[in-house]
């Protein structure tokens, strides 16, 4: 998964380069999180890292959650109101990771 695909999954204009360095760091962190959470390096038969589509969706959600303020439970702006669940986006990402999670033995 690269920065271009992340922008598509998050609905960010591909030509908007103002956040690229921050998004790249968040993408790297989210991929690392997914690999650790799933206990899976996602290495294909060619020896390259290849994330399944569902894991990519989870990674995009993790990047999205990194930009959310965890201290805010609801926001209102004029007639629009939005409520958040604590760890809602992270929990949703875990649902995408779950089928790819490998057991760890100590």
């Amino acid at each position: 998964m690269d920065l271009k695909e992340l922008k598509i999954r998050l609905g960010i204009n591909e030509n908007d380069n103002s956040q690229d360095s921050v998004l790249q760091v968040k993408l790297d962190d989210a991929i690392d999180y997914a690999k650790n959470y799933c206990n899976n390096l996602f290495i294909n038969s060619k020896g390259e890292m290849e994330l399944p589509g569902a894991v990519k969706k989870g990674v995009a959600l993790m990047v999205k959650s990194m930009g959310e303020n965890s201290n805010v439970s609801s926001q209102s702006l004029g007639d629009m109101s939005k409520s958040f669940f604590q760890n809602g986006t992270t929990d949703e990402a875990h649902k995408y990771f779950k089928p790819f999670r490998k057991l760890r033995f100590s």
Side-chain angles (χ1 to χ4, degrees):
M1 182 173 192
D2 60 7
L3 188 57
K4 181 179 177 181
E5 184 176 358
L6 176 66
K7 285 181 166 185
I8 291 168
R9 288 179 178 274
L10 293 177
I12 298 172
N13 185 334
E14 189 178 330
N15 298 321
D16 180 3
N17 300 326
S18 63
Q19 303 176 40
D20 282 3
S21 58
V22 173
L23 282 175
Q24 185 63 56
V25 170
K26 289 180 179 182
L27 175 61
D28 294 341
D29 291 346
I31 290 172
D32 187 52
Y33 179 88
K35 291 183 341 186
N36 285 319
Y37 181 83
C38 295
N39 193 32
N40 188 336
L41 297 178
F42 299 105
I43 303 297
N44 66 16
S45 60
K46 297 177 186 175
E48 302 164 341
M49 185 181 72
E50 183 179 356
L51 299 176
V55 173
K56 289 179 182 181
K57 174 71 174 175
V59 166
L61 287 168
M62 290 302 300
V63 169
K64 180 182 174 187
S65 75
M66 291 175 192
E68 294 175 349
N69 186 344
S70 61
N71 296 327
V72 177
S73 61
S74 66
Q75 290 179 327
S76 296
L77 181 60
D79 293 343
M80 189 188 87
S81 172
K82 186 174 184 181
S83 296
F84 303 94
F85 296 101
Q86 186 173 358
N87 298 324
T89 308
T90 304
D91 291 345
E92 187 178 350
H94 287 169
K95 290 177 187 175
Y96 287 99
F97 295 152
K98 189 175 181 178
F100 302 95
R101 199 164 187 198
K102 293 182 178 180
L103 293 176
R104 292 181 195 219
F105 295 100
S106 300

